Amino acid sequence: MFVFTEKEGVLKIMLRGDIDHNAVTAIREEIDGLIFAHKPKTVVLDMSAVTFCDSSAIALVIGRHKRVSAYGGTLVLDRVPRGAMRIFRLAGLEKIITVKTGEGK
Amino acid sequence: MKILNSMKLSFPSLSRNESFSRVAVAAFISQLDPTIEEMTDIKTAVSEAVTNCIVHGYGDTVGHIHIKACIIEDNRVRITVSDKGRGIKDIGQAMEPCFTTGSEDRAGMGFTVMQSFTDKLRVRSTPKKGTTVIMEKKIVKRG
């Protein structure tokens, strides 16, 4: 279970561990469950505790972006580690989603 | 090409082996004293190659995935990941960014990531016989 906070329309979810093909289904279901329950204006995925990520994370993020945008919300990626940032840049994610890097990572 | 050290891994195409395989390869190359970034590059490229074997090579069936990692001259690592699965009909198309035959869970970025995170990538495939991906990366000597 991810740690999350919901305050004034901002749902902040703290992702952790590895994001790969094996882990992504459970991560997606958990995020979607929280989005469905809260319908927040802004969803912030805090990635500072993510230890590894491959291209499985790209589809995960794009899918969540579509889901949140569908009801007029916004998805933000926060404290993205350097390795994940390189993957997201390859896919051009920062052109459609607000992606903030991790400080000093 | 002189092989200075090598290792082989073989395991069933279960997605829970993705983590094991990338960590095992990373542990093997750690003798070259790579930076964290170089290590992450190798782990990510291996993860993509192994995921392709699981998702595309074998699909709903379970087969074996073979990895061979060699340390060769000039501080380079050569990693071969192969399966005996479905194979790829059109390698050029499969390597295009965003092309996927997988579900909406897949971004079609696997080969693009492998290409970007290594120095050399070669793909050999025969439909119904399997696919072999060979990646090479130089680990910069430090100190």
Side-chain angles (χ1 to χ4, degrees):
Chain A
M1 290 286 281
F2 296 129
V3 175
F4 69 94
T5 54
E6 205 270 329
K7 202 177 167 190
E8 291 162 6
V10 180
L11 173 68
K12 193 170 182 176
I13 306 169
M14 183 95 179
L15 303 183
R16 60 180 154 75
D18 291 0
I19 302 179
D20 62 6
H21 163 252
N22 183 48
V24 84
T25 306
I27 296 171
R28 186 192 63 224
E29 284 173 4
E30 201 172 330
I31 296 173
D32 286 355
L34 289 169
I35 292 172
F36 181 75
H38 296 275
K39 281 269 169 13
K41 252 186 122 163
T42 308
V43 178
V44 179
L45 299 180
D46 183 328
M47 296 188 64
S48 59
V50 169
T51 44
F52 172 83
C53 133
D54 65 18
S55 72
S56 306
I58 298 171
L60 175 77
V61 169
I62 292 175
R64 282 16 324 123
H65 165 69
K66 284 183 183 164
R67 187 167 284 256
V68 175
S69 303
Y71 66 82
T74 310
L75 180 76
V76 175
L77 298 182
D78 195 18
R79 301 204 286 170
V80 178
R82 195 188 290 171
M85 197 66 197
R86 291 178 61 207
I87 301 239
F88 291 158
R89 282 209 178 106
L90 269 182
L93 268 194
E94 75 271 34
K95 288 176 196 154
I96 53 166
I97 298 166
T98 305
V99 184
K100 299 176 190 170
T101 53
E103 289 166 358
K105 284 198 173 182
Chain B
M1 181 189 78
K2 195 174 169 190
I3 296 173
L4 305 173
N5 197 2
S6 67
M7 71 91 162
K8 280 182 183 174
L9 274 182
S10 180
F11 52 91
S13 59
L14 304 171
S15 61
R16 59 180 174 271
N17 283 329
E18 289 158 9
S19 168
F20 153 73
S21 58
R22 64 177 176 259
V23 171
V25 174
F28 177 71
I29 65 143
S30 66
Q31 59 195 282
L32 292 178
D33 193 22
T35 60
I36 291 172
E37 190 157 317
E38 286 167 335
M39 195 76 114
T40 304
D41 288 356
I42 299 265
K43 277 165 80 173
T44 311
V46 169
S47 195
E48 300 293 351
V50 169
T51 301
N52 272 357
C53 298
I54 295 169
V55 175
H56 303 290
Y58 293 115
D60 296 331
T61 61
V62 175
H64 266 78
I65 297 172
H66 304 275
I67 297 183
K68 188 179 178 193
C70 298
I71 289 168
I72 55 179
E73 295 161 299
D74 199 23
N75 240 39
R76 282 180 298 150
V77 186
R78 171 176 286 189
I79 302 159
T80 307
V81 181
S82 55
D83 66 62
K84 294 195 184 332
R86 283 196 290 242
I88 305 167
K89 273 189 205 146
D90 185 340
I91 295 177
Q93 187 185 42
M95 291 178 77
E96 279 172 21
C98 301
F99 176 84
T100 183
T101 55
S103 64
E104 63 165 324
D105 274 349
R106 311 303 311 153
M109 292 295 287
F111 280 124
T112 307
V113 170
M114 284 182 245
Q115 252 166 347
S116 310
F117 285 32
T118 61
D119 303 327
K120 224 188 255 184
L121 170 72
R122 261 188 299 155
V123 184
R124 287 192 215 127
S125 190
T126 310
K128 294 181 188 168
K129 290 210 167 153
T131 302
T132 298
V133 168
I134 305 164
M135 300 177 280
E136 236 179 79
K137 187 172 176 70
K138 186 179 166 77
I139 304 298
V140 178
K141 266 191 179 155
R142 291 179 294 154

